[in-house]
């Protein structure tokens, strides 16, 4: 390499280091992180090499002479390679970008530079949120919340914090105010005070949204469009219009243009805030405060995609087609709708809160109307498994022309699996029958960790709650379910997220039903619904014999091939038993949790081994430097201390993860 300019030599060495480090690290490595690692490593080691050795020589003028290619040069190149790999490991540790099952970066993710900038902004916003929380006394009042001595002070601190943080935090507080099954009346009272004044979109913004989301000109779709909104919310606003082709009256729901950016910036901050609150209080952790924030974030991401709301409306409409109940759901005009724009049938009616005139005009029996609404919800939740998850009074209308029940706003829809449907039936019937055993059977089908259930202890706790309401004419539904939720939490059980949505919807629905008919008993009516459904199921084969015959034939067509193979398989099984060839095999990796645990444990052991190895190498370098020339010693000491520093980072990070895991286990 004699005679080659210094800068060219550096470039050649950098290219070699780039390819060699890539081969040593493995496949599916990120090019940006790899490039940055090499650039930083080459720059740093070259500066140290020049400062400790080359500046005292004529190397820059004469080039690399044979007598210069010695231990110092080899140490420089080796350190360059080692440090580039350490830097890549450092970037990998602190890079939040997800990998798919093949170890490749997920597509559509941001680059490292954008990720770091976003991380800086998020940390700045998080510090602001935490400063507001501390100022309002969240940390000071948490110690009281652990023993429930003074909930009022904590409730006020939480409300003030959410209000001052603004935006998504206020909406989160408003959602929490509907979770009467989780929070005590003190919290509900304070959180209900949260108000968010939303400024409507300007006419220019409305026109821009329409132009960007309609395939044709606005005038070709609508013969009339009212630029003044019927209602405005934090996610979107609704306008009245008339379709040109059919002359039908519709409502057009527009997504606010800034809402996605706000979500992207603040939702992760909200989850971090909830995690911080949970770390400060055992009460908040048992409550599942972080899980509430995660569920809220997931639901909100769905709400800002109007394609999902349109699909929800179509699904529930199809579910209710075979129902005998007269419940209307607005039609969706899919040809004019997309993720940012939703065109629906206009419903001329009034909310049940303000519907006294309509009730009187059609001489509607309020109890029957409430019963129809409840039965419709139970049909959706307990038979089809797809249900309207936000049945508050503003979403339940009375049609001005027919007096029929109309459901609005399908941004929030819940889905229950068959096991959860059965569990919810037992849960509701058990409450009506005042039977702790039936309630317990229902809970075991509704919680994720049913294997950890202690039947006798939980039944005793449930019995105590049921005794409190045994001889009382009526107890508020939200108070009852809140008490049962408390029992579930105290025993370390966790409802499936879909079940929590369903129970929240039941509490909300009960409040709506009380507005319609003040003495309506949701649990006795739920029992009547279950009895009626069982009777109709028994009669179904006789009402539709042909359909029953076809169903039996379909079932037999699937079963008979397996039945024909059964004798031969039994014979083979007995032969293997007689010959002693039966082997029981259990693969722990077939369990997803086991596989995840082993994978995480192995990954951390590898990192631990790497950290210890770097530490040993660094100590060895320090020892060797004691017997070398002072110039070499400085360089070796620098490399050794850098290795010890990175070793300390790895070990401290692993220690923190281990401590957090132990806390979670406890």
């Amino acid at each position: 390499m004699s005679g080659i300019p210094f800068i060219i030599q550096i470039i050649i060495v950098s290219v070699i280091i780039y390819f060699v480090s890539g081969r040593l690290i493995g496949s599916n490595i990120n090019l940006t992180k790899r490039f940055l690692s090499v650039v930083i490593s080459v720059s740093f080691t070259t500066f140290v090499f020049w400062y400790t050795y080359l500046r005292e020589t004529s190397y820059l003028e004469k080039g690399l002479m044979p007598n210069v290619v010695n231990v110092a040069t080899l140490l420089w190149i080796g350190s360059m390679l080692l440090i580039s790999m350490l830097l890549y490991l450092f970037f990998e540790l602190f890079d939040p970008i997800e990998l798919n099952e093949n170890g490749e970066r997920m597509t559509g993710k941001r680059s490292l530079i954008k990720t770091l900038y976003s991380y800086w902004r998020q940390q700045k916003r998080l510090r602001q949120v935490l400063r507001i929380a501390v100022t309002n006394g969240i940390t000071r009042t948490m110690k009281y919340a652990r023993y429930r001595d003074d909930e009022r002070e904590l409730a006020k601190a939480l409300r003030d914090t959410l209000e001052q943080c603004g935006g998504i935090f206020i909406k989160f507080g408003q959602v929490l105010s509907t979770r009467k099954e989780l929070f005590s009346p003190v919290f509900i009272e304070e959180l209900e005070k949260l108000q968010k004044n939303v400024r409507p979109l300007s006419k220019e913004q409305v026109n821009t949204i329409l132009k960007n989301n309609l395939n044709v000109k606005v005038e070709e779709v609508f013969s009339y469009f009212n630029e003044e909104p019927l209602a405005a919310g934090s996610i979107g606003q609704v306008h009245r219009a008339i379709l040109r082709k059919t002359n039908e009256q519709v409502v057009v729901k527009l997504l606010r243009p800034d809402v996605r950016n706000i979500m992207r910036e603040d939702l992760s901050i909200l989850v971090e805030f909830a995690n911080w609150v949970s770390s400060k209080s055992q009460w908040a952790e048992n409550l599942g405060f972080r899980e509430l924030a995660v569920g809220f974030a997931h639901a909100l991401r769905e709400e800002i995609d109007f394609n999902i709301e349109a699909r929800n409306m179509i699904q529930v409409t199809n579910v209710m087609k075979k129902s005998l109940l007269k419940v209307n759901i607005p039609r969706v005009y899919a040809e004019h709708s997309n993720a940012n724009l939703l065109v629906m049938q206009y419903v001329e009616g009034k909310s049940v809160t303000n519907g006294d005139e309509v009730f009187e005009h059609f001489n509607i029996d309020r109890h029957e109307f409430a019963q129809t609404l409840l039965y419709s919800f139970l049909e959706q939740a307990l038979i089809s498994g797809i249900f309207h998850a936000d049945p508050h009074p503003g979403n339940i209308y009375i049609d001005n022309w027919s007096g029929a029940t109309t459901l609005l706003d399908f941004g929030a829809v819940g889905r229950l699996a068959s096991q959860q449907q059965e569990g919810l039936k037992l849960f509701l019937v058990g409450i009506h029958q005042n039977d702790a055993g039936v309630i317990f059977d229902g809970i075991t089908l509704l919680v994720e960790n049913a294997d950890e259930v202690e039947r006798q202890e939980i039944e005793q706790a449930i019995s105590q709650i049921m005794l409190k309401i045994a001889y009382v004419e009526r107890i508020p539904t939200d108070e009852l379910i809140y008490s049962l939720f408390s029992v579930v939490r105290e025993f370390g059980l966790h409802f499936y997220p879909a079940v929590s949505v369903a129970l929240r919807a039941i509490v909300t629905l009960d409040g709506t039903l009380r507005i319609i008919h003040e003495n309506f008993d949701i649990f006795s009516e739920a029992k009547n619904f279950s009895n009626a459904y069982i009777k109709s199921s028994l009669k179904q084969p006789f009402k539709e014999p042909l359909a029953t015959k076809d169903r039996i034939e379909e079932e037999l067509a699937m079963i008979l091939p397996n039945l024909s193979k059964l004798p031969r398989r039994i014979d083979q099984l007995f032969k293997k038993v007689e010959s002693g060839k039966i082997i029981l095999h259990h693969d722990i990796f077939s369990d997803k949790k086991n596989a995840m645990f082993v994978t995480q444990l192995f990954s951390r052991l590898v990192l631990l081994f790497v950290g210890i190895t770097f530490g040993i190498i660094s100590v060895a370098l320090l020892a060797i430097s004691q017997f070398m020339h002072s110039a070499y010693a400085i360089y070796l000491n620098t490399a050794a201390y850098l290795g010890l520093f990175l070793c300390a980072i790895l070990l401290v990070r692993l220690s923190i993860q281990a401590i957090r895991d132990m806390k979670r286990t406890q």
Side-chain angles (χ1 to χ4, degrees):
M1 297 179 68
S2 179
I4 301 177
F6 178 72
I7 189 65
I8 301 299
Q9 295 180 27
I10 294 296
I11 293 174
I12 293 173
V13 172
S14 301
V15 172
I16 294 172
I17 294 296
Y18 180 84
F19 284 103
V20 173
S21 64
R23 296 294 296 177
L24 292 175
I25 292 170
S27 59
N28 296 324
I29 60 178
N30 180 254
L31 296 179
T32 303
K33 286 189 277 188
R34 186 174 165 188
F35 178 78
L36 284 174
S37 302
V38 172
V39 169
I40 296 173
S41 174
V42 170
S43 302
F44 174 75
T45 55
T46 301
F47 172 76
V48 173
F49 187 49
W50 170 82
Y51 186 81
T52 58
Y53 184 77
L54 295 181
R55 66 173 180 160
E56 303 296 336
T57 69
S58 58
Y59 170 73
L60 295 178
E61 289 80 15
K62 298 181 179 180
L64 187 62
M65 300 301 293
N67 62 338
V68 182
V69 184
N70 51 23
V71 175
T73 306
L74 294 176
L75 188 59
W76 168 49
I77 297 174
S79 300
M80 192 185 299
L81 177 61
L82 177 62
I83 292 174
S84 68
M85 295 174 64
L86 287 172
L87 287 169
Y88 188 92
L89 178 61
F90 181 84
F91 290 145
E92 195 66 46
L93 279 173
F94 295 98
D95 184 8
I97 293 180
E98 300 175 3
L99 303 176
N100 61 20
E101 58 185 6
N102 297 321
E104 299 169 346
R105 291 162 66 92
M106 298 287 284
T107 57
K109 299 296 182 179
R110 291 172 292 183
S111 65
L112 180 62
I113 295 174
K114 289 184 178 179
T115 300
L116 291 174
Y117 176 71
S118 176
Y119 177 78
W120 174 79
R121 289 188 60 183
Q122 287 180 355
Q123 290 303 306
K124 182 180 178 182
R125 171 65 168 152
L126 180 60
R127 287 194 297 271
Q128 180 190 23
V129 169
L130 296 183
R131 185 166 58 250
I132 292 172
V134 172
T135 303
N136 286 318
I138 286 283
T139 51
R140 178 171 49 82
T141 55
M142 279 295 177
K143 59 183 179 181
Y144 300 113
R146 291 179 182 179
Y147 307 103
R148 299 293 185 87
D149 291 334
D150 190 0
E151 287 191 332
R152 175 72 66 180
E153 189 175 357
L154 175 58
K156 287 182 177 179
L158 180 61
R159 185 205 69 197
D160 291 340
T161 299
L162 296 176
E163 192 168 36
Q164 291 172 28
C165 290
I168 296 301
F169 289 82
I170 293 179
K171 188 170 181 65
F172 178 56
Q174 292 171 336
V175 170
L176 293 183
S177 71
T178 66
R179 301 302 299 266
K180 297 179 181 179
E181 79 282 9
L182 289 178
F183 292 93
S184 65
V186 172
F187 273 91
I188 300 301
E189 180 185 344
E190 289 296 331
L191 293 172
E192 283 179 341
K193 297 176 183 178
L194 288 169
Q195 298 292 331
K196 185 175 182 181
N197 299 318
V198 180
R199 182 178 298 177
L201 296 172
S202 66
K203 293 181 180 179
E204 291 76 15
Q205 288 177 307
V206 170
N207 290 325
T208 301
I209 294 172
L210 290 173
K211 289 177 182 177
N212 292 339
N213 290 279
L214 291 174
N215 296 326
V216 295
K217 293 182 179 180
V218 178
E219 296 77 15
E220 295 180 20
V221 179
F222 305 112
S223 59
Y224 166 78
F225 186 92
N226 190 347
E227 294 180 340
E228 294 297 324
L230 291 172
S234 57
I235 292 177
Q237 64 184 42
V238 178
H239 295 258
R240 191 171 176 179
I242 298 176
L243 292 176
R244 180 170 294 281
K245 288 185 178 179
T246 60
N247 207 34
E248 293 174 285
Q249 294 191 62
V250 295
V251 290
V252 182
K253 190 173 182 180
L254 307 176
L255 183 72
R256 300 184 74 91
D258 57 342
V259 71
R260 285 198 174 93
N261 291 332
I262 294 173
M263 300 287 177
R264 185 163 49 247
E265 292 178 358
D266 264 12
L267 279 182
S268 60
I269 303 299
L270 174 63
V271 174
E272 288 292 335
F273 167 73
N275 192 44
W276 176 79
V277 171
S278 298
S279 69
K280 296 293 182 182
S281 168
Q282 188 63 42
W283 166 78
E285 186 175 352
N286 292 339
L287 182 72
F289 195 73
R290 183 185 183 280
E291 286 70 24
L292 286 172
V294 172
F296 168 77
H298 177 72
L300 210 56
R301 289 188 182 101
E302 286 199 351
E303 283 190 47
I304 63 174
D305 186 348
F306 289 164
N307 282 327
I308 295 177
E309 183 172 350
R311 184 189 64 198
N312 292 340
M313 294 176 70
I314 293 170
Q315 282 185 314
V316 178
T317 300
N318 292 334
V319 164
M320 298 303 296
K321 276 183 179 179
K322 296 181 180 179
S323 175
L324 301 177
L325 302 171
K326 294 182 179 179
V327 176
N328 296 332
I329 298 170
R331 174 190 169 191
V332 176
Y333 295 87
E335 65 272 20
H336 303 308
S337 303
N338 56 35
N340 305 315
L341 186 75
L342 183 60
V343 181
M344 302 170 287
Q345 174 189 354
Y346 174 73
V347 176
E348 191 169 343
K350 290 188 176 181
S351 165
V352 291
T353 307
N354 306 314
D356 292 341
E357 294 181 5
V358 183
F359 277 117
E360 293 176 4
H361 177 75
F362 288 99
N363 195 26
I364 297 172
D365 186 307
R366 285 179 173 266
H367 184 273
E368 287 185 5
F369 188 92
Q371 189 181 63
T372 299
L373 177 59
L374 173 64
Y375 282 14
S376 173
F377 173 82
L378 295 177
E379 271 192 14
Q380 296 169 36
L382 304 183
I383 298 176
S384 68
I386 303 173
F387 61 93
H388 193 301
D390 193 18
H392 66 76
N395 287 338
I396 312 300
Y397 265 53
I398 315 168
D399 193 289
N400 280 348
W401 301 103
S402 62
T405 307
T406 303
L407 305 182
L408 302 178
D409 193 356
F410 285 79
V413 166
R415 291 173 174 84
L416 291 173
S418 56
Q419 173 184 312
Q420 297 159 5
Q421 295 171 30
E422 185 62 30
L424 194 57
K425 290 176 192 175
L426 293 173
F427 184 81
L428 295 174
V429 171
I431 291 175
H432 174 70
Q433 295 178 343
N434 203 14
D435 190 327
V438 176
I439 295 174
F440 174 84
D441 291 338
I443 287 176
T444 57
L445 297 174
L446 298 176
V447 296
E448 295 178 337
N449 46 344
D451 295 338
E452 303 173 13
V453 171
E454 295 290 342
R455 183 177 188 109
Q456 186 174 357
E457 295 180 8
I458 296 180
E459 273 198 40
Q460 176 64 25
I462 295 173
S463 297
Q464 291 296 319
I465 294 174
M466 302 312 292
L467 284 172
K468 293 179 182 178
I469 64 171
Y471 300 101
V472 178
E473 183 177 348
R474 182 176 67 84
I475 188 168
T477 303
D478 54 354
E479 184 178 337
L480 174 59
I481 294 185
Y482 169 73
S483 300
L484 293 173
F485 257 76
S486 299
V487 169
V488 169
R489 288 199 307 271
E490 286 170 8
F491 283 90
L493 303 178
H494 305 284
F495 283 116
Y496 287 104
V499 173
S500 297
V501 171
L503 292 175
R504 183 191 68 185
I506 289 172
V507 173
T508 304
L509 179 62
D510 180 69
T512 303
L513 296 172
R514 298 283 185 190
I515 291 175
I516 300 170
H517 190 280
E518 60 181 1
N519 295 320
F520 193 84
D521 187 347
I522 190 172
F523 297 113
S524 63
E525 293 292 344
K527 180 176 180 294
N528 294 337
F529 171 84
S530 296
N531 292 337
Y533 175 69
I534 292 171
K535 290 178 182 177
S536 65
S537 299
L538 293 174
K539 294 178 182 178
Q540 192 68 23
F542 302 100
K543 288 183 178 179
E544 300 180 1
L546 292 177
T548 304
K549 174 178 171 291
D550 293 339
R551 181 65 182 271
I552 293 174
E553 288 177 352
E554 289 175 1
E555 295 291 337
L556 288 174
M558 291 187 289
I559 294 173
L560 285 176
N562 291 324
L563 289 177
S564 64
K565 299 176 184 177
L566 193 59
R568 185 170 66 256
R569 289 179 176 175
I570 293 175
D571 181 59
Q572 291 173 350
L573 178 62
F574 277 112
K575 286 180 180 179
K576 288 184 178 181
V577 172
E578 290 173 356
S579 61
K581 293 181 179 179
I582 293 293
I583 299 174
L584 295 178
H585 174 70
H586 177 68
D587 183 7
I588 63 170
F589 293 102
S590 61
D591 187 339
K592 187 176 180 181
K593 290 184 178 179
N594 288 341
M596 182 69 71
F597 171 77
V598 173
T599 301
Q600 290 180 345
L601 180 62
F602 180 75
S603 301
R604 290 174 185 177
L605 284 174
V606 170
L607 288 177
L608 180 62
F609 176 76
V610 170
I612 293 173
T613 302
F614 287 148
I616 293 172
I617 293 173
S618 300
V619 171
L621 289 175
L622 285 174
I624 292 171
S625 67
Q626 303 300 316
F627 304 98
M628 297 189 70
H629 188 268
S630 60
Y632 300 153
I634 294 174
Y635 186 70
L636 284 176
N637 286 336
T638 303
Y641 285 125
L642 178 61
L644 288 173
F645 175 73
L646 293 174
C647 170
I649 290 177
L650 287 171
L651 295 180
V652 169
R653 182 175 176 84
L654 287 170
S655 300
I656 292 172
Q657 289 177 340
I659 292 171
R660 286 179 177 175
D661 287 343
M662 286 190 291
K663 286 183 177 180
R664 289 194 187 100
T665 303
Q666 291 171 357

